[in-house]
Amino acid sequence: MSLSAFHALPLPIVQLSLDAVLKCGQSFRWSTFPLPQPNDASREYRLCLYDRVVCLRQSPTQLFYRSVYPDPQPSETQARLLDAETLVWLKDYFQLDVDLANLYQEWGVRDQVFLNIKERFSGIRMLRQDPWENLVSFICSSNNNISRITKMVQNLCIHYSPPLLHISDPSCLESRQAYHPFPSPSVLARPDVSAKLRSLGFGYRADFIQKTARLLVDTHGTGSETWLMNLREETTEKAREELLKFMGVGRKVADCVLLMSLDKREVIPVDTHVHQIAIKHYGLKGSANGKKINMTPKIYEEVNKKLVDVWGDYAGWAHSVS
DNA sequence: GGTCTACCTTTAGA
DNA sequence: ATCTAAAGGTAGA
């Protein structure tokens, strides 16, 4: 395993803050490593894709990236091509063609509440994630918290996909970290998966995951992941309708997938947190007759409509900042 | 078609 | 120390 040097991509921190974006409930699979103090960046982020591990660091003006490849190591010529691919992937994953400063400006004009908080939460943008991983991750998210969701996603990778490679940290000779890609639908579709996941603490979500994988594979076979990816070309309504067919996928989870991996930037997944924000700042009723209002499909629509009205086309992106 | 409940597990707060 | 409520909800009645 060679420790290739980092490449640098000029990128102002207002366009992307790794600290704000990677560990806050969009993706649950990035791992972090503390760096020696003198460095500009506070920590390194790593994510295992299907054929490589991407490592990121950040300064106020630059994004540093490198890829680590499994053996046999690529030649220098090959590595140059592969690293170029990584850059293409980064631009896609972080949607760097979208000017975040512009969006913040626009949201500030449309919304006084946003104007007040925008300085404190800069650099928060929507990732463009893999739909399959995103779907499974958010099936895990129901009635759950981020730290447990993270452990569950880790467990899925550890138990259902072999490690692509290991990285030893120079700063800590003992540690030899394994990096697993996200498991495929066909592996998670196996009938014994639900019992195993239950024993791993997934609770009732164990069956949802196995059944969702099963339905996907039975319907679309080896083209399952491509089929999910192609929902990007469908309308929001059509794509949502397809997602709702899966076990464990209700409106909220479907909307997370639509927003975070299927390019539906206007979609706002309404969870309890967003509901509270809508009540506190955007004039929605929080209670009636002294009783707290529960989330219902009707309330969901009301919250959604109001916030899209306030924030516009990129409402889903705006909601992740608030 | 809207409304009510059970559901796994963990953890912060009473 | 024990207990409850809530945690980025959903399926089924």
Side-chain angles (χ1 to χ4, degrees):
Chain A
M1 211 259 325
S2 68
L3 282 179
S4 57
F6 278 85
H7 300 279
L9 178 68
L11 185 65
I13 194 113
V14 292
Q15 285 293 334
L16 168 66
S17 163
L18 294 183
D19 292 327
V21 163
L22 295 186
K23 299 291 272 187
C24 298
Q26 285 194 55
S27 169
F28 300 94
R29 215 156 58 84
W30 286 90
S31 53
T32 53
F33 296 87
L35 295 173
Q37 275 313 333
N39 202 303
D40 257 346
S42 57
R43 43 189 178 166
E44 177 170 325
Y45 294 87
R46 295 177 184 164
L47 178 68
C48 185
L49 304 178
Y50 71 106
D51 71 340
R52 71 193 70 183
V53 175
V54 175
C55 308
L56 302 178
R57 299 181 187 183
Q58 185 170 40
S59 79
T61 56
Q62 288 180 300
L63 180 67
F64 302 98
Y65 65 96
R66 68 163 180 167
S67 311
V68 182
Y69 306 101
D71 289 322
Q73 289 304 302
S75 69
E76 261 186 58
T77 317
Q78 290 169 329
R80 249 194 302 279
L81 291 172
L82 291 167
D83 287 353
E85 281 179 6
T86 298
L87 179 56
V88 171
W89 178 85
L90 282 171
K91 288 179 173 173
D92 183 75
Y93 184 79
F94 289 107
Q95 315 204 53
L96 295 182
D97 57 323
V98 178
D99 184 344
L100 196 61
N102 255 350
L103 288 177
Y104 271 56
Q105 161 77 20
E106 186 191 326
W107 296 327
V109 170
R110 299 179 71 115
D111 175 14
Q112 180 64 43
V113 179
F114 186 90
L115 198 56
N116 294 333
I117 59 130
K118 73 176 201 177
E119 302 303 333
R120 280 185 291 138
F121 300 97
S122 82
I124 301 179
R125 60 170 57 240
M126 196 54 56
L127 302 176
R128 190 173 194 234
Q129 299 189 65
D130 174 77
W132 168 241
E133 172 178 344
N134 197 225
L135 176 62
V136 175
S137 299
F138 278 89
I139 286 175
C140 292
S141 79
S142 81
N143 216 345
N144 210 346
N145 56 66
I146 290 181
S147 75
R148 186 176 166 212
I149 300 165
T150 304
K151 285 176 198 150
M152 288 162 70
V153 172
Q154 266 177 22
N155 267 332
L156 277 178
C157 297
I158 289 169
H159 291 271
Y160 291 100
S161 96
L164 177 74
L165 55 80
H166 299 261
I167 298 179
S168 310
D169 282 274
S171 59
C172 177
L173 294 174
E174 308 302 310
S175 81
R176 185 163 169 278
Q177 201 69 42
Y179 290 84
H180 303 252
F182 193 82
S184 68
S186 59
V187 169
L188 294 182
R190 279 167 22 199
D192 57 323
V193 164
S194 57
K196 171 81 167 177
L197 290 183
R198 238 170 215 277
S199 77
L200 288 170
F202 279 61
Y204 55 78
R205 304 163 198 82
D207 299 284
F208 293 166
I209 291 170
Q210 190 272 333
K211 283 182 172 160
T212 289
R214 180 84 269 158
L215 176 59
L216 187 60
V217 171
D218 284 349
T219 316
H220 301 100
T222 52
S224 292
E225 293 183 87
T226 308
W227 177 81
L228 271 178
M229 197 69 92
N230 287 341
L231 290 179
R232 285 174 175 171
E233 314 307 322
E234 301 287 351
T235 64
T236 299
E237 290 69 28
K238 171 67 176 167
R240 180 185 288 128
E241 184 187 325
E242 291 295 336
L243 292 172
L244 288 174
K245 292 177 182 171
F246 295 107
M247 192 65 70
V249 179
R251 176 66 190 265
K252 195 270 174 177
V253 171
D255 281 1
C256 283
V257 178
L258 289 172
L259 173 65
M260 300 181 186
S261 53
L262 297 180
D263 298 339
K264 311 308 182 200
R265 358 178 225 270
E266 80 286 4
V267 171
I268 299 178
V270 181
D271 56 31
T272 48
H273 177 64
V274 172
H275 188 200
Q276 292 312 309
I277 299 267
I279 292 168
K280 187 169 178 190
H281 297 295
Y282 301 99
L284 266 89
K285 282 193 298 248
S287 60
N289 307 323
K291 286 206 298 190
K292 189 173 71 175
I293 290 184
N294 293 321
M295 180 57 61
T296 61
K298 195 172 165 187
I299 301 292
Y300 191 108
E301 288 295 349
E302 275 180 40
V303 172
N304 204 76
K305 186 169 179 302
K306 175 63 190 174
L307 294 181
V308 170
D309 199 43
V310 174
W311 292 324
D313 286 346
Y314 279 77
W317 286 49
H319 113 283
S320 72
V321 178
S322 305

